[in-house]
């Protein structure tokens, strides 16, 4: 089994910054893509940013120029630095990882979610 444990998040005023991290642990031999999604009340879960094992990044239009995704392959950890936060960034943020294991092949796992609240 694989576990993704998120940390960070919390409450901040508009214009502020927050940093999220997500560490993967368990039985696997590699992690392919990792990413961050978010889900606001009454809305569908949406992609915020993703990063490949080679470091190639993708961002939602709403995140471009304000958020930065990165990963530390040695620590099996993905990060999301969020700057210039807006009220509309308020949501539960979930990390995910596409993990390769001998037993299950390539499987997508999700973190438990962490609340980000931006007040104006």
């Amino acid at each position: 089994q694989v576990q993704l444990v998120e940390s960070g998040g919390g409450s901040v005023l508009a214009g502020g910054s927050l940093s999220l991290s997500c560490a993967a642990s368990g039985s696997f031999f590699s992690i392919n893509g990792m990413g961050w999604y978010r889900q606001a009340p009454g809305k569908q879960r949406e992609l915020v940013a993703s990063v490949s094992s080679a470091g190639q990044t993708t961002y939602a239009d709403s995140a471009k120029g304000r958020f930065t995704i990165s990963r530390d392959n040695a620590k099996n950890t993905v990060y999301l630095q969020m700057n210039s936060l807006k009220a509309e960034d308020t949501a539960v943020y979930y990390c995910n990882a596409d993990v390769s294991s001998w037993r299950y092949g390539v499987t997508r796992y999700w973190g438990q979610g962490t609340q980000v609240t931006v007040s104006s």
Side-chain angles (χ1 to χ4, degrees), residues 17-53:
S17 298
L18 284 174
S19 180
L20 307 180
S21 64
C22 172
S25 63
S27 180
F28 55 89
F29 60 82
S30 68
I31 301 177
N32 305 316
M34 303 183 81
W36 290 93
Y37 282 69
R38 67 186 182 187
Q39 187 167 19
K43 295 187 177 181
Q44 290 187 332
R45 190 174 296 189
E46 62 178 6
L47 174 69
V48 177
S50 64
V51 57
S52 72
S53 57

Side-chain angles (χ1 to χ4, degrees), residues 34-38 46-51 57-60 63 67-70 78-80 94-96:
M34 303 183 81
W36 290 93
Y37 282 69
R38 67 186 182 187
E46 62 178 6
L47 174 69
V48 177
S50 64
V51 57
T57 58
T58 302
Y59 294 93
F67 294 3
T68 301
I69 189 170
S70 61
V78 62
Y79 306 93
L80 185 68
Y94 298 90
C95 67
N96 70 9

Side-chain angles (χ1 to χ4, degrees), residues 70-81:
S70 61
R71 64 189 283 174
D72 185 333
N73 290 332
K75 296 181 179 180
N76 296 320
T77 300
V78 62
Y79 306 93
L80 185 68
Q81 176 64 41

